[in-house]
Amino acid sequence: MSNAIEIEGLRKTYPASGSEPPKEALKGVDLTIPEGSIFGLLGPNGAGKSTLINILAGLVVKTSGTVRIWGFDQDRNPRQSRAAIGVMPQELNMDPFFTPRGSLDVQAGLYGVPRRERKTDEILAMIGLSDKADAYARNLSGGMRRRLLLGKALVHSPQILVLDEPTAGVDIELRQMLWRNVRRLNEERGMTIILTTHYLEEAEAMCDEIAIIDHGEVLVRDTTRALVARMDAKTLVITPEAPLPADLALPPGVETEARPGGAFAFTYRRAETSPDDILSALRTAGVRIRDVATEEARLEDVFLDLTRGTHDTAA
Ligand code: ADP
Ligand code: MG
């Protein structure tokens, strides 16, 4: 199997400006993204996700390192490597004087797509904007503008589609539409998809493989399945009617933590323990439960898990 993207030793330092010191946004990233996959780039705000994406898109100039897109070295074959990739940016920047049809046409022109090869109507239908094709962009809702950004990323039929935080702050309906489209592009056209997100659940649901990036470095890269198995901690939060008895015998491996309001958090591994094991132990000890809630492992927990030690010594 070959790689859609190969990145070696990628560094980016933004120069100092005003009172801001230089910012090292990428500190030597090595990453390969397999052809045909849906790949997630996961990380908190400021991790360097957009910087990486924008370098791939040719919007940000790297400081050093090599980037190969669809086999083309970005420095030696800039035109071919740019043609292989379509990017839906994080920012909503849009010319209000263009209609969706006009925007798609201008974008196709920028990429040198001949008129007879343009798929404007097909793209408009796919992003659900056929009936708004000739409306001015300033009259489009935020969700419609975002869909148009997706359409613009597709005008030159790239082999690789990159989506930068496509669902941050969008409603459920738009989120589901975006995901349907992305899955279809991947399944029907074999398009390689790279998306950034700070939602662990989203990455879990969508991505075959995931890289977690923080402070400009890749902390881990693995299949989603393997990663989730590593992070299968769940938490059961119980509010008992009375303080817990001292002789409470919990299943092995369960960690207890007192929470405000008299609640207790029991953290367990899904692979080892079920919530029923914990509830049974509580019932056996005669604990009466006033309230119960569950918590998934959050991205923050994953980071803590992964960076424990490195951040401790650095601090
Ligand atoms: P993410 O997309 O993961 O939130 P970014 O790539 O946007 O992260 O940013 C990584 C770091 O680089 C952050 O500290 C950010 O403040 C900084 N940064 C991003 N763009 C610029 C820029 N144009 N000039 C200076 N610093 C920047
Ligand atoms: Mg970003």
Side-chain angles (χ1 to χ4, degrees):
M1 187 188 223
S2 50
N3 291 315
I5 304 268
E6 290 175 347
I7 296 170
E8 278 164 44
L10 184 61
R11 293 180 176 274
K12 174 64 189 180
T13 304
Y14 290 104
S17 79
S19 60
E20 292 289 316
K23 176 72 202 179
E24 209 183 352
L26 296 175
K27 304 173 183 169
V29 167
D30 298 320
L31 193 62
T32 55
I33 298 178
E35 194 180 321
S37 63
I38 302 185
F39 191 93
L41 199 58
L42 211 62
N45 279 330
K49 302 182 298 296
S50 292
T51 299
L52 181 67
I53 295 297
N54 290 334
I55 290 172
L56 293 180
L59 300 171
V60 166
V61 179
K62 65 184 187 263
T63 303
S64 62
T66 60
V67 173
R68 266 186 302 277
I69 300 173
W70 213 248
F72 296 109
D73 184 293
Q74 199 181 36
D75 299 326
R76 278 183 245 152
N77 302 95
R79 209 171 47 80
Q80 289 94 329
S81 60
R82 204 170 88 97
I85 199 165
V87 178
M88 178 179 169
Q90 184 172 5
E91 308 290 330
L92 268 183
N93 52 350
M94 192 149 290
D95 190 328
F97 301 107
F98 282 117
T99 63
R101 185 186 299 284
S103 293
L104 293 176
D105 263 338
V106 167
Q107 185 81 358
L110 286 175
Y111 277 92
V113 182
R115 230 161 239 292
R116 64 184 183 303
E117 286 174 25
R118 294 187 189 172
K119 299 180 184 138
T120 308
D121 287 312
E122 188 187 318
I123 293 173
L124 285 166
M126 180 194 151
I127 57 178
L129 288 182
S130 299
D131 57 338
K132 296 278 180 193
D134 302 307
Y136 283 103
R138 62 172 179 274
N139 297 328
L140 301 179
S141 69
M144 290 174 186
R145 291 181 194 200
R146 238 176 228 271
R147 275 140 61 189
L148 184 52
L149 286 180
L150 173 62
K152 285 174 74 177
L154 296 169
V155 291
H156 57 297
S157 308
Q159 291 92 336
I160 305 166
L161 174 66
V162 178
L163 309 134
D164 196 1
E165 307 251 3
T167 64
V170 310
D171 63 32
I172 290 182
E173 209 178 326
L174 176 55
R175 178 173 301 199
Q176 285 174 348
M177 175 186 187
L178 285 169
W179 291 145
R180 265 199 313 278
N181 281 330
V182 164
R183 281 214 181 87
R184 199 179 304 152
L185 289 166
N186 177 256
E187 282 166 15
E188 292 175 9
R189 303 196 204 174
M191 205 178 266
T192 304
I193 312 279
I194 304 167
L195 62 97
T196 76
T197 181
H198 56 270
Y199 300 121
L200 181 61
E201 272 178 47
E202 181 163 281
E204 224 181 291
M206 290 294 299
C207 301
D208 310 316
E209 301 192 35
I210 290 175
I212 295 183
I213 177 171
D214 194 13
H215 300 300
E217 290 176 295
V218 174
L219 300 179
V220 68
R221 177 205 186 291
D222 213 332
T223 62
T224 307
R225 182 192 287 265
L227 210 51
V228 168
R230 269 166 73 165
M231 321 291 168
D232 70 344
K234 277 198 82 166
T235 300
L236 191 64
V237 182
I238 302 282
T239 309
E241 296 280 1
L244 293 180
D247 61 349
L248 177 63
L250 288 165
V254 176
E255 288 172 31
T256 310
E257 180 199 347
R259 291 279 178 93
F264 292 88
F266 301 101
T267 299
Y268 61 97
R269 299 237 157 223
R270 274 186 290 206
E272 296 167 359
T273 310
S274 79
D276 194 51
D277 297 337
I278 296 170
L279 292 170
S280 300
L282 290 167
R283 273 194 294 271
T284 304
V287 176
R288 292 176 57 83
I289 296 168
R290 175 142 45 96
D291 197 14
V292 58
T294 60
E295 294 171 359
E296 298 284 339
R298 288 164 309 151
L299 188 55
E300 286 89 325
D301 303 328
V302 176
F303 281 124
L304 288 178
D305 216 41
L306 285 169
T307 58
R308 199 174 287 153
T310 59
H311 279 205
D312 288 353
T313 49

